[in-house]
Amino acid sequence: KVNYQVWKSDTTAGDVSFQLEEVQVEDMRVVYYESEGRRDLDAHIGTGVFSGDIKSQQYTLTADAQLTTASYKAGEVVYLANKPVELQASMYADHVTDLFTFSNTHIRLSGLDLSLNGTLENKENGKADLVLESNGSDLRAVFAFLPGSFHKTIDAYDYSGSVEFRC
């Protein structure tokens, strides 16, 4: 079921379509709360450019944005707390099959460079086939994004170097 709706459906009017060719935003706050999954996202977009035919059943949405701060919490676990994020993303959305495909998506989180590709099924018990990669990331940058409950254990160790991973 859809847990958000940007506009209301109206069966008496003709089809409405929004082709976002280049929507530029500056100094915008985005807050998303999902009560069922207890997930919170709070982001401040410093600058961003978005495009896509978002009212179609199938479309590609692109984003190039610099978030000055972003926070994400799932349940009681904080995964991201007021961190800067740079995002260059391309997502193909298919609302007929409820499948979202990410390609050439690059994310920079406080010095941690990530790439994301793959598919995500937006259904109850939906499947995810996502590849998240990082090449040559600093270990401190990786550990900084572990939930706070892990920090006490990690801080007890001395470490240095870089890491490459694919998951």
Side-chain angles (χ1 to χ4, degrees):
K1 76 181 184 183
V2 174
N3 62 0
Y4 62 90
Q5 187 168 355
V6 177
W7 49 77
K8 293 182 180 181
S9 299
D10 185 351
T11 57
T12 61
D15 289 340
V16 176
S17 179
F18 290 96
Q19 175 66 43
L20 306 177
E21 291 185 19
E22 188 176 294
V23 175
Q24 296 183 15
V25 298
E26 187 173 320
D27 195 25
M28 182 174 111
R29 184 171 181 207
V30 176
V31 178
Y32 174 78
Y33 177 71
E34 181 188 316
S35 59
E36 190 173 307
R38 295 183 34 223
R39 289 179 270 229
D40 298 307
L41 173 68
D42 188 347
H44 179 261
I45 301 172
T47 60
V49 178
F50 303 88
S51 64
D53 189 5
I54 62 173
K55 188 68 169 137
S56 296
Q57 288 291 319
Q58 299 161 320
Y59 59 88
T60 298
L61 178 66
T62 60
D64 186 354
Q66 289 70 45
L67 289 71
T68 55
T69 59
S71 299
Y72 178 73
K73 180 179 175 183
E76 297 303 315
V77 180
V78 176
Y79 288 96
L80 192 61
N82 294 315
K83 301 287 184 181
V85 178
E86 294 176 31
L87 174 69
Q88 290 89 35
S90 177
M91 179 192 71
Y92 178 74
D94 186 336
H95 291 287
V96 175
T97 61
D98 277 337
L99 196 64
F100 298 90
T101 304
F102 297 90
S103 60
N104 299 316
T105 296
H106 302 283
I107 307 163
R108 183 170 176 82
L109 302 166
S110 291
L112 179 62
D113 292 312
L114 302 168
S115 65
L116 176 69
N117 292 288
T119 57
L120 182 63
E121 191 176 34
N122 189 32
K123 296 179 180 176
E124 189 172 332
N125 299 317
K127 294 178 174 57
D129 182 12
L130 298 170
V131 176
L132 181 67
E133 293 181 282
S134 178
N135 295 315
S137 293
D138 181 86
L139 280 172
R140 292 193 187 282
V142 173
F143 291 154
F145 289 96
L146 292 175
S149 58
F150 291 98
H151 289 195
K152 190 173 185 179
T153 303
I154 292 168
D155 290 343
Y157 294 92
D158 288 326
Y159 52 86
S160 64
S162 62
V163 64
E164 294 185 18
F165 62 85
R166 181 177 179 169
C167 51

